[in-house]
Amino acid sequence: MQNSSSTNKKIFAFSIRKDEEPYVKEWAENHPEVEVEYTNELLTPETAKKAKGADGVVVYQQLDYTADTLQALADQGITKMSLRNVGVDNIDMNKAKELGFEITNVPVYSPNAIAEHAAIQTARILRQTKVLDEKIANGDLRWAPTIGREVRDQTVGVIGTGHIGQVYMQIMEGFGAKVIAYDPFENPELKKQGYYVDSLDDLYAQADVISLHVPATKENFHMINRESIAKMKDNVVIVNCSRGALVDTDAVIEGLDSGKIFGFVMDTYEDEVGIFNEDWRSKEFPDKRLKDLIDRSNVLVTPHTAFYTTHAVRNMVLKAFDNNFKLINGEKADTPVKVG
């Protein structure tokens, strides 16, 4: 929505990647009354001055939004910040509240992107495609012992039935799997259809595949651990395309070593900051534990790319700019974040 109050307004965006640039330009072309500038640099106390003269900023990064970073923006007169992603756990909310920040995020940019990735990787683990690919690349075209499991023969346990979890459930049912779910905040429609089990222990006892679709809260920290893995069925497949902090990586490695865990899908890792989205080809890899997982034939590692589709990236950019546009014009944003 355009109005006269937007005259001479300016939005500055940080850490814009090459794949985001077309959508920044698309938004700017549709809002000629707003000046749009951007950089590929991350927002830090030092780079905040690049936004001088802007009314608001659009951001996305793994780095923390520290008190110093927020103060540097406020020193430029900027307290309206729109994230192009969901997570807000890396923002110093006390400082944000003190400085009077208004913050928005993009909580739903493409549930299908993440659910599709989780489903594809689940099927790949069950059909042992990584093992087959390695054999074929080496000229070994024998079948045995690389025999697969059909998705329709599995009971798939979904923890968290929000937007992403529900799409994953639909895809798994499309394969013919039996789907069960657990969520402390039950969806009435799913409850009516009988998906929910009474407890996580019930889900662990029944599920051949367990997929996580929950946020990284204090309550959920290391919810997959030695104790919970012990309650799972033998040859379980664990899928984490949600948040790295949900999984005790050492406990999963023990389960893989013992054979308790048949396979592990990980798109997120508890120590991923500073490692994912970097090129390590000519350098020493910095994390031996992660390297061990990458090298395993029954582990599929992707570097937090489940979300990374053209559809999702476009939505993240356009929705973040829409939010910031409303903030700088004194309007109510579509997806505000509670500050403090």
Side-chain angles (χ1 to χ4, degrees), residues 281-295:
R281 284 177 296 181
S282 58
K283 309 173 204 168
E284 183 181 348
F285 198 78
D287 189 315
K288 290 179 181 177
R289 183 174 66 173
L290 179 58
K291 183 67 167 65
D292 170 62
L293 287 163
I294 291 170
D295 289 344

Side-chain angles (χ1 to χ4, degrees), residues 42-225:
L42 295 169
L43 171 61
T44 66
E46 293 72 39
T47 61
K49 58 180 171 287
K50 286 181 176 288
K52 185 176 182 179
D55 299 282
V57 291
V58 168
V59 293
Y60 174 78
Q61 61 194 58
Q62 290 179 307
L63 287 179
D64 288 342
Y65 300 88
T66 63
D68 288 346
T69 298
L70 296 174
Q71 185 66 59
L73 276 180
D75 288 345
Q76 302 291 340
I78 301 166
T79 56
K80 301 181 192 312
M81 184 167 75
S82 296
L83 277 62
R84 304 196 294 279
N85 58 299
V86 183
V88 295
D89 51 324
N90 58 345
I91 301 173
D92 186 329
M93 284 298 186
N94 291 330
K95 187 66 174 179
K97 185 176 183 180
E98 176 194 321
L99 295 171
F101 266 79
E102 290 181 77
I103 300 174
T104 63
N105 67 349
V106 183
V108 184
Y109 41 84
S110 179
N112 294 63
I114 297 158
E116 275 183 16
H117 183 84
I120 289 165
Q121 298 294 74
T122 300
R124 287 187 65 212
I125 282 284
L126 291 169
R127 295 306 294 262
Q128 299 203 62
T129 60
K130 187 175 179 181
V131 183
L132 277 169
D133 288 346
E134 289 169 356
K135 285 171 65 172
I136 293 163
N138 291 322
D140 182 357
L141 305 190
R142 293 172 296 174
W143 305 343
T146 318
I147 192 166
R149 289 158 57 180
E150 293 185 32
V151 181
R152 65 174 176 168
D153 292 333
Q154 315 305 309
T155 295
V156 176
V158 178
I159 302 175
T161 55
H163 298 284
I164 299 166
Q166 287 182 50
V167 176
Y168 180 80
M169 291 167 72
Q170 291 166 9
I171 297 171
M172 290 293 101
E173 285 192 325
F175 274 115
K178 177 186 177 183
V179 174
I180 59 174
Y182 176 78
D183 194 319
F185 308 100
E186 293 182 346
N187 177 293
E189 190 57 36
L190 295 179
K191 185 177 178 67
K192 198 188 304 178
Q193 295 172 41
Y195 284 106
Y196 290 113
V197 294
D198 292 333
S199 68
L200 278 174
D201 284 358
D202 288 340
L203 186 140
Y204 295 148
Q206 296 179 49
D208 302 294
V209 174
I210 295 171
S211 191
L212 308 175
H213 299 284
V214 297
T217 61
K218 288 177 183 175
E219 295 77 20
N220 292 337
F221 179 75
H222 280 186
M223 65 185 299
I224 302 301
N225 52 47

Side-chain angles (χ1 to χ4, degrees), residues 42 61-64 269-280 283-287 290 303-304:
L42 295 169
Q61 61 194 58
Q62 290 179 307
L63 287 179
D64 288 342
Y269 175 52
E270 55 186 327
D271 295 327
E272 71 183 53
V273 175
I275 300 177
F276 282 4
N277 205 22
E278 297 287 343
D279 185 354
W280 298 103
K283 309 173 204 168
E284 183 181 348
F285 198 78
D287 189 315
L290 179 58
H304 211 137

Side-chain angles (χ1 to χ4, degrees), residues 122 125-126 149 208-210 235-239 261-263 265:
T122 300
I125 282 284
L126 291 169
R149 289 158 57 180
D208 302 294
V209 174
I210 295 171
N235 288 313
V236 68
V237 170
I238 298 174
V239 180
I261 299 173
F262 179 81
V265 171

